[in-house]
Amino acid sequence: MKCISSKPSEERIKEAARKVFLKKGFDGTTSRDIAEEADMNIALTNYYFRSKEKLFLEIFKDLLNLYFQNTLDILNKDLDFKSKIYETIDHTFEMVSKEPDLCNFIVNEVHRSPERLVPDINFVRQVRHTKFGEQLEEEIKKGNIRPIGIENILPMLCGYIQFIFMGKSMHMRIFEIGEHEFDAYAKDHKERIKEMIICYLYN
Amino acid sequence: MKCISSKPSEERIKEAARKVFLKKGFDGTTSRDIAEEADMNIALTNYYFRSKEKLFLEIFKDLLNLYFQNTLDILNKDLDFKSKIYETIDHTFEMVSKEPDLCNFIVNEVHRSPERLVPDINFVRQVRHTKFGEQLEEEIKKGNIRPIGIENILPMLCGYIQFIFMGKSMHMRIFEIGEHEFDAYAKDHKERIKEMIICYLYN
DNA sequence: AGTAGTTTTAAATATTTGTTTAAATTATAC
DNA sequence: GTATAATTTAAACAAATATTTAAAACTACT
């Protein structure tokens, strides 16, 4: 009974918490913020999850998964090296476009208190050993690309475009542009990143 | 008298506030944190600055200045285009090395509540019109480098290396390395960024 | 030494925080 | 339909929050 009837409420709280945590971060979020967003009684957040901290950890786990899993899948896909580079960059772009607060949230929460998030972060260790990593070594061995480690190429594929979005607010104000213009700029910059990485790797 | 005798206390509070705000952010910092860090009575933060918010805005202004001013100076320096690229990247690296929380702080605070920081951000508009910008146009006109706008090249010079440091915590855990190894990695990556940008620009 | 002005202190302010309680309501099973 | 369990509610909780107060301690100048 519990599972069936409680799901709507429990799910509503999680969705609300996800939304508020993403926007305000853990420190900036109050239990009442979440309850209000979910349009529910304050006590329910502690009824379904035992504390704000517990609720946060669940949300964080989900969001870290969203942040990494698809990229991980692409890296392990059956696809040629160069296409994989393009697809990873495109996917990162799509991801941050759909969830504009995600990168800021993950990077900031991990930076602020890495210790408590360690068990979740461990899952991300998978990026060290992917099919893409093997392909990378192969391309280097063949002399097709310059020598480079996985820890150097991954930030190029994922991090650079993420930074553009993380600094969106400031960028828009510095260059006095609106949402629409920023999107065009980001898209353009993404293509430049692709070309730049290819240019660098293939000399 | 006020100026001479109050400076030590006022300065001690600012230094403490700077330290705590940098580490914990505005939301994560309490007035007591600051007072404790400064080893002073809690009431003094409100005696010298009128509120936590006012104190924060002063600190933020200083830190935003630290974040941008030196880069701005370099961009306006009397130096050839290519050297300026190298120097900007090197300076950004030095800056984040010395103040590891700075980028996370600035990016996060601006992202969370850009409105209240607008007056400060306006100062950063200067990056749009620098000597470097003129040099950039000239190099493009001469056909030395490919066409690119200042809004695209600046993130390459400043943002990419910043992202590496912003994700330091996660990177260290993913690749199971310590501080020392990370520094070596970051240094290496910085040189790769230089080469990549040059390679991209000069085709 | 005494006084005016500044700085520091301990204590109290009113809110807000996360969390809990115990009663009320709803749903489920027999 | 009634008993049992699950859910929701309003209210209260203690602790922490930013800020203020009013008195004490200190400083500088006559």
Side-chain angles (χ1 to χ4, degrees), chain A residues 24-37:
Chain A
K24 304 189 178 187
F26 180 79
D27 289 332
T29 299
T30 70
S31 302
R32 281 166 181 81
D33 286 337
I34 296 170
E36 200 174 334
E37 176 69 36

Side-chain angles (χ1 to χ4, degrees), chain B residues 2 5-6 9 41 43-44 47-48:
Chain B
K2 187 186 184 182
S5 74
S6 77
S9 289
N41 192 284
L44 288 178
Y47 174 75
Y48 286 105

Side-chain angles (χ1 to χ4, degrees), chain A residues 8 20 24 29 56 61 68 119 138:
Chain A
V20 182
K24 304 189 178 187
T29 299
F56 172 78
K61 205 177 171 185
F68 271 109
E138 206 172 319

Side-chain angles (χ1 to χ4, degrees), chain A residues 79-87 132 139 198 202:
Chain A
L79 190 68
D80 68 287
F81 180 73
K82 206 186 253 184
S83 303
K84 218 171 250 194
I85 289 177
Y86 291 140
E87 193 165 329
F132 179 76
E139 293 293 310
I198 295 299
Y202 291 88

Side-chain angles (χ1 to χ4, degrees), chain A residues 22-152:
Chain A
L22 262 173
K23 205 165 73 183
K24 304 189 178 187
F26 180 79
D27 289 332
T29 299
T30 70
S31 302
R32 281 166 181 81
D33 286 337
I34 296 170
E36 200 174 334
E37 176 69 36
D39 197 35
M40 295 177 79
N41 191 284
I42 318 162
L44 287 178
T45 64
N46 277 31
Y47 175 74
Y48 286 105
F49 311 88
R50 292 180 21 210
S51 65
K52 180 194 170 190
E53 172 82 8
K54 290 268 195 340
L55 175 53
F56 172 78
L57 289 177
E58 274 206 39
I59 302 288
F60 179 82
K61 205 177 171 185
D62 290 351
L63 290 176
L64 191 71
N65 197 68
L66 176 64
Y67 185 68
F68 271 109
Q69 189 58 64
N70 290 338
T71 301
L72 215 55
D73 291 344
I74 293 170
L75 295 177
N76 279 315
K77 231 174 148 177
D78 198 23
L79 190 68
D80 68 287
F81 180 73
K82 206 186 253 184
S83 303
K84 218 171 250 194
I85 289 177
Y86 291 140
E87 193 165 329
T88 304
I89 295 172
D90 282 331
H91 165 260
T92 303
F93 182 87
E94 293 301 325
M95 181 183 66
V96 293
S97 296
K98 275 180 199 155
E99 206 67 82
D101 294 325
L102 183 59
C103 297
N104 292 278
F105 173 83
I106 296 287
V107 170
N108 192 56
E109 296 298 336
V110 172
H111 175 75
R112 282 285 142 75
S113 52
E115 325 77 30
R116 71 169 173 177
L117 306 172
V118 163
D120 295 317
I121 295 174
N122 283 349
F123 132 79
V124 189
R125 296 234 177 98
Q126 295 178 61
V127 297
R128 289 186 302 176
H129 307 108
T130 60
K131 202 163 191 172
F132 179 76
E134 297 170 23
Q135 290 171 300
L136 179 68
E137 282 180 31
E138 206 172 319
E139 293 293 310
I140 294 170
K141 198 176 286 171
K142 279 185 190 163
N144 293 340
I145 62 168
R146 76 168 69 209
I148 183 172
I150 188 77
E151 75 281 7
N152 273 301

